[in-house]
Amino acid sequence: MDEIGTYLAKMQSNAPLVQNITNYVAMNVMANVMLAAGVSPAMVHAREEAAEFAAIAQALTVNIGTPDPEWIYAMEEAAGVMAAAGKPWVLDPVAVGATALRRDAGARLLALKPTVIRGNASEVLALAGTDAVGHGVDAADAVAAAEAAAHDLAQRTGGVVAVTGPVDYVTDGAVAWRIANGAPVMPQVTALGCSLTGIVAAFAVGQPALPATAAALAYYGLAGEQAVAQSTGPGSFQPAFLDALAAMTPEALTKGARVTQA
């Protein structure tokens, strides 16, 4: 990808309002990450207002990390509004293979054809109906093991699938990219994966989903690399990461992104 920083510049110019129906663990971290990136986050999950709010939001994220039947209805209704309006929404199928409730929620949301699906390898495999090793929030499968499932999901939904791990894999079912940016400490800080979903949604506003998703992953991973240089462990990494997100320029992203066609 040439001039990948242009996607960051467009996202920053948009400063989009992104509605997030996410889990209890992620809300505070996710809001801070999105604010640092220049995004306006709204944690709106009540069924009584989720669809109404979706009408004014520019993008939506749906995360099934702490599922509740009423929240799942709210997710479906908000996603339906987004789809009808042609606005992007991103599905984060956290631990989708772990329980019947999660499997059912994943199938119902998948039927609404998300713009982007972002998950680890085990989640993507489970969502695609393929046997996966991991059933909790952590991936026990390698990214490479989920590439075929990612292609299948992308073709079934008409959207983009991002399998995140040490080297991310993103595809629309026809073209695929690998993103090698990131830092090993990032999985040791709770909710950074969930927060990435919000960044992906923000990048997808007004931009083609495939390159926008790849750019979002590179931006996030490069900020992680920069934060490692300013920290000594997970505790000091988190504030350094927020600072790196806020300080990133389009030029720095273009220079530091490691994105290759698969």
Side-chain angles (χ1 to χ4, degrees), residues 17-19 44 49-60 74 77-87:
L17 172 62
V18 179
Q19 178 181 359
V44 180
E49 66 169 352
E52 182 181 358
F53 194 89
I56 63 173
Q58 291 166 274
L60 168 73
E77 291 165 5
V81 169
M82 287 287 164
K87 295 188 288 188

Side-chain angles (χ1 to χ4, degrees), residues 94-95 120 122-123 133-141 187:
V94 176
N120 64 41
S122 298
E123 292 161 349
V133 177
H135 294 292
V137 298
D138 298 320
D141 298 277

Side-chain angles (χ1 to χ4, degrees), residues 25 29 118 120-121 137-141 143 164-168 181-196 220-221 224-225 227-228 233-235 237-238 241:
V25 178
V29 176
R118 191 222 62 85
N120 64 41
V137 298
D138 298 320
D141 298 277
V143 169
T164 51
V167 177
D168 305 322
N181 294 100
V185 72
M186 295 176 79
Q188 299 176 37
V189 180
T190 190
L192 284 196
C194 301
S195 303
L196 171 57
Y220 207 74
E225 294 170 12
V228 164
F237 175 84
Q238 188 168 0
F241 180 60

Side-chain angles (χ1 to χ4, degrees), residues 15-20 34-35 38-42:
L17 172 62
V18 179
Q19 178 181 359
N20 305 286
M34 295 175 74
L35 286 168
V39 184
S40 179

Side-chain angles (χ1 to χ4, degrees), residues 19 21 50-51 54 60-62 72-90 108-109 112-115:
Q19 178 181 359
I21 306 179
L60 168 73
T61 73
V62 167
I72 295 168
Y73 284 122
M75 292 172 182
E76 289 181 287
E77 291 165 5
V81 169
M82 287 287 164
K87 295 188 288 188
W89 75 278
V90 182
R108 287 159 56 182
L109 291 163
L112 294 170
K113 300 189 181 304
T115 310

Side-chain angles (χ1 to χ4, degrees), residues 30 44 46 85 87 91 98 103 108 115 140 147 153 160 166 168 174 180 184 196 204 232 234 236 243 262:
M30 187 175 189
V44 180
K87 295 188 288 188
L91 172 61
R103 289 190 292 273
R108 287 159 56 182
T115 310
E147 290 181 4
L153 282 174
V160 168
D168 305 322
L196 171 57
T232 57
S236 56
D243 288 345

